[in-house]
Amino acid sequence: MSNPSVVPFLRYQDAPGAIEWLGKVFGFRPSVTVPGSHGGVGYARLTLGDAVIVLASVRPGEPYLRSALDLPAVSQGVFVVVEDLEAHYEQAVARGAEIVVEPETTPEGTRIYMAFDLEGQLWAFGDGFEADD
């Protein structure tokens, strides 16, 4: 693979609700949704511009993949680059996102904000990403 990609995958207690919420609040659009064999969502791929995430319903036979609601704290989050950070932030606030970090400029010059989603997953949005090449 010459161009590796990283695609976050998340589990939700209410995956159909998460798909709807992530679309309404953060602007993600489902491109594929496959029902689970025992109900819920077996697999869903959502996009926001070039960003891709995958999510599914929590499955009883997979105790290693849980919703953030099942945990005392989250230890990771998803970072998404957006074109207009301020507009994205205003939309998220207007539609009920719990803001954790108000828009700020990092020492590297990237504008970011952070929010929890409906089940407590941590999301960071920024207007760029500075990485050492």
Side-chain angles (χ1 to χ4, degrees):
M1 179 185 284
S2 61
N3 293 317
S5 297
V6 175
V7 178
F9 62 97
L10 307 167
R11 289 290 196 260
Y12 287 90
Q13 290 179 2
D14 179 6
I19 292 168
E20 181 180 336
W21 192 95
L22 291 168
K24 180 181 87 171
V25 178
F26 292 153
F28 281 93
R29 294 181 178 202
S31 60
V32 175
T33 303
V34 177
S37 58
H38 297 91
V41 175
Y43 169 88
R45 182 172 48 232
L46 284 70
T47 61
L48 176 64
D50 292 337
V52 176
I53 64 162
V54 173
L55 66 83
S57 297
V58 171
R59 299 175 186 145
E62 295 179 344
Y64 46 86
L65 289 171
R66 308 303 310 160
S67 162
L69 291 175
D70 298 325
L71 307 171
V74 292
S75 65
Q76 58 192 359
V78 179
F79 186 91
V80 181
V81 176
V82 294
E83 282 189 36
D84 186 340
L85 180 81
E86 301 303 328
H88 193 272
Y89 166 78
E90 293 298 330
Q91 174 181 305
V93 168
R95 296 183 177 168
E98 179 185 346
I99 304 302
V100 179
V101 175
E102 295 289 331
E104 65 182 22
T105 303
T106 67
E108 297 82 21
T110 301
R111 295 276 299 153
I112 67 162
Y113 80 90
M114 298 172 78
F116 285 124
D117 70 17
L118 75 167
E119 289 196 15
Q121 299 282 8
L122 183 61
W123 294 81
F125 295 91
D127 63 4
F129 185 76
E130 298 297 325
D132 295 332
D133 289 329

